[in-house]
């Protein structure tokens, strides 16, 4: 038997839930890409994309997923043989490092493991050791979606400044943009990368690279900046086709327009960040309660200030995480995320990890519903767990929902 027939909920960390309004906005035939309404709609996107990232700087948009966004940043920041310093806190940091290495960039990785954020002191020491100033940019993740570690971006910026190093600072916000507080200009970030399918609530297919004036002045003209990836013509397009170096992602743009209206204009970034903060807190409270009755159940990141607000990685002991995921999907219509980068998929330990997304178009009933389904699954499967998880989660929501 199953209770899964009803509206399914995809609670994986991307692609995220697409709002009905965004879907409806995209349900249309092809527009004229030479003149008319589409051009006006696109003009209206850039101020909102800047507001979203907290910058008055430049924006280049690409038809790409997040991996394409990484390559766009790499291609403009570096020439072949230049050096990158990558601060890795999980699989996504390492994957960005790999993409740079494969493009012929020299990469030094500072690996901070899978349970704590990048240490500003180690960053400062690595930059001080670079006496010849070879490191052109420091790359890191705001939130690594595999471990769900959140880095303290302002603290890392201060470490670069304390070292007196001229490296540019580039941050992957693919898992956090539109979910977790981010202020590109205030925090001294030179290059920010995001994609459409997570906090931006739109299908995969668009990547965005925001860049500061100093990044513009120092980058974008090297031997990796091939015509398609070069950010200058996109950010300073004189003709519409230059914005995407070819045909625009027409259908996506109507969806993005609607999503930005919802985030930037209707809800406002402060309330968007607050909503994610509260829903994350509800998930954490539930895991704390479950774990109190079974030490095998624990969140991956111990300290709340080190956790991303859009997704939570946890362990349940193998094979219970996989059993619980399957139960939730098959019996109750909630799809949880697999554990990523914690153990190889061929390793039995793989079945001890999962992730709960609370990213993008999510509200209290969705997150509380997912937690209640997980509670039911733990009970149905006979997985030991502490009591009171749903009460604890509801208390967080009751306090965070305002008057
Ligand atoms: C999802 C994600 C990526 C990769 O994005 P794709 O669209 O899958 O290529 C990179 N970095 C982070 C932090 C992500 O969450």
């Amino acid at each position: 038997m199953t209770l899964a027939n009803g509206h399914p909920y995809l609670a994986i960390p991307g692609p995220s839930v697409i709002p009905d309004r965004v879907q409806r906005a995209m349900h249309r035939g092809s527009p004229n890409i030479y003149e008319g309404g589409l051009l006006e709609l696109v003009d209206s996107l850039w101020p909102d994309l800047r507001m979203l990232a907290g910058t008055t700087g430049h924006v280049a948009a690409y038809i790409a997923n997040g991996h394409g966004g990484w390559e766009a940043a790499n291609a403009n920041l570096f020439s072949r043989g230049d050096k990158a310093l990558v601060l890795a806190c999980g699989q996504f940091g390492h994957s960005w490092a790999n993409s740079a290495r494969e493009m012929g960039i020299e990469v030094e990785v500072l690996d901070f493991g899978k349970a704590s954020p990048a240490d500003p002191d180690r960053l400062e020491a690595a930059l001080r050791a670079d006496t010849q100033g070879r490191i052109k940019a420091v790359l890191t993740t705001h939130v690594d979606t595999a471990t769900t570690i959140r880095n303290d971006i302002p603290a890392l910026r201060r470490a670069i400044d304390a070292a007196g190093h001229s490296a540019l600072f580039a941050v992957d916000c693919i898992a956090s943009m539109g979910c977790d507080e981010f202020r590109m200009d205030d925090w001294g970030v030179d290059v920010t990368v995001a994609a459409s399918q997570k906090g931006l609530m739109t299908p995969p297919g668009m990547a965005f690279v925001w860049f500061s004036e100093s990044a513009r002045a120092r980058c974008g003209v090297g031997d990796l900046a091939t015509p398609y990836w070069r950010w200058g013509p996109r950010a300073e397009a004189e003709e519409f086709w230059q914005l995407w170096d070819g045909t625009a992602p027409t259908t996506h743009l109507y969806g993005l327009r609607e999503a930005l209206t919802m985030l930037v204009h209707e809800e406002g970034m402060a309330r968007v960040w607050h909503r994610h903060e509260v829903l994350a807190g509800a998930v954490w409270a539930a895991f704390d309660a479950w774990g109190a009755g079974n030490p095998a159940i624990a969140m991956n990141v111990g300290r709340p200030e080190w956790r991303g607000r859009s997704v939570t990685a946890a362990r349940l002991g193998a094979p219970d995480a996989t059993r619980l995921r399957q139960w939730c999907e098959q019996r109750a219509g909630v799809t949880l995320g697999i554990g990523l980068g914690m153990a190889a998929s061929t390793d039995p330990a793989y079945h001890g990890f999962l992730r709960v997304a609370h990213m993008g178009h999510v509200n209290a009933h969705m997150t509380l519903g997912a937690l209640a389904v997980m509670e039911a699954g733990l009970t149905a499967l006979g997985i030991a767990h502490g009591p009171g998880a749903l009460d604890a989660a509801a208390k967080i929501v009751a306090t965070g929902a305002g008057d």
Side-chain angles (χ1 to χ4, degrees):
M1 298 299 280
T2 176
L3 302 175
N5 295 307
H7 205 304
Y9 175 21
L10 185 69
I12 67 173
S16 66
V17 172
I18 303 173
D20 293 348
R21 281 174 60 180
V22 171
Q23 295 186 41
R24 278 198 297 273
M26 293 188 298
H27 191 77
R28 59 172 69 225
S30 290
N32 188 350
I33 58 167
Y34 298 106
E35 51 191 21
L38 180 71
L39 279 63
E40 284 162 33
L41 178 145
V42 166
D43 273 345
S44 77
L45 297 174
W46 312 113
D48 291 354
L49 285 167
R50 288 192 180 87
M51 220 182 300
L52 181 79
T55 184
T56 58
H58 309 277
V59 195
Y62 295 85
I63 294 181
N65 59 16
H67 283 68
W70 282 336
E71 291 209 19
N74 297 342
N76 287 283
L77 278 165
F78 303 104
S79 295
R80 283 191 186 81
D82 280 352
K83 184 165 175 187
L85 179 65
V86 178
L87 316 179
C89 302
Q91 178 168 317
F92 287 88
H94 289 289
S95 295
W96 195 1
N98 290 341
S99 84
R101 203 176 283 116
E102 287 190 36
M103 290 170 75
I105 298 157
E106 184 184 330
V107 178
E108 178 183 344
V109 176
L110 294 183
D111 188 347
F112 296 92
K114 294 178 181 175
S116 55
D119 175 359
D121 292 340
R122 273 182 68 194
L123 169 59
E124 185 180 335
L127 291 175
R128 284 186 187 280
D130 180 36
T131 49
Q132 294 175 359
R134 292 215 44 236
I135 296 168
K136 178 119 186 256
V138 175
L139 316 182
T140 197
T141 46
H142 186 205
V143 173
D144 191 296
T145 325
T147 56
T148 68
I149 293 165
R150 184 178 72 167
N151 275 317
D152 184 344
I153 299 301
L156 296 173
R157 174 77 245 179
R158 285 193 295 275
I160 298 172
D161 294 342
H165 200 289
S166 64
L168 294 162
F169 188 27
V171 181
D172 168 353
C173 291
I174 296 168
S176 56
M177 185 65 74
C179 306
D180 227 306
E181 180 175 1
F182 182 76
R183 302 177 186 275
M184 177 169 169
D185 289 358
D186 291 350
W187 293 0
V189 174
D190 292 293
V191 174
T192 302
V193 181
S196 50
Q197 78 273 23
K198 299 191 186 179
L200 302 191
M201 315 187 296
T202 307
M206 289 181 293
F208 305 99
V209 179
W210 293 260
F211 53 104
S212 67
E213 183 52 29
S214 64
R216 190 201 61 77
R218 290 169 56 189
C219 305
V221 292
D223 58 9
L224 289 170
T226 52
Y228 188 79
W229 296 107
R230 202 176 287 150
W231 62 25
R234 291 171 184 262
E236 293 157 36
E238 285 168 10
E239 296 184 52
F240 187 73
W241 68 269
Q242 292 179 300
L243 290 167
W244 283 274
D245 195 34
T247 305
T250 50
T251 307
H252 279 67
L253 293 169
Y254 292 98
L256 180 65
R257 176 61 274 160
E258 195 68 17
L260 289 172
T261 296
M262 293 169 72
L263 291 172
V264 175
H265 295 293
E266 294 178 1
E267 188 172 7
M269 295 318 297
R271 282 191 291 260
V272 169
W273 296 332
H274 174 77
R275 172 165 54 84
H276 284 86
E277 179 88 27
V278 174
L279 298 181
V283 173
W284 305 344
F287 272 107
D288 281 339
W290 289 325
N294 177 356
I297 301 180
M299 282 174 281
N300 182 52
V301 184
R303 288 167 58 171
E305 66 271 27
W306 291 353
R307 296 179 195 144
R309 270 54 176 170
S310 52
V311 54
T312 298
R315 67 193 72 221
L316 272 81
D320 285 344
T322 295
R323 290 175 69 221
L324 181 63
R325 276 196 305 104
Q326 289 172 345
W327 191 94
C328 290
E329 182 169 72
Q330 292 163 8
R331 305 300 174 102
V334 174
T335 304
L336 302 173
I338 59 166
L340 200 62
M342 306 304 284
S345 59
T346 48
D347 180 345
Y350 172 84
H351 299 288
F353 300 96
L354 59 70
R355 291 172 300 161
V356 183
H358 27 94
M359 167 186 283
H361 191 57
V362 286
N363 60 21
H365 90 73
M366 295 163 78
T367 297
L368 290 176
L371 294 172
V373 161
M374 292 172 71
E375 170 89 25
L378 291 168
T379 303
L381 296 170
I383 299 170
H385 59 283
L390 300 180
D391 281 347
K395 277 204 185 77
I396 300 286
V397 167
T399 311
D403 299 326

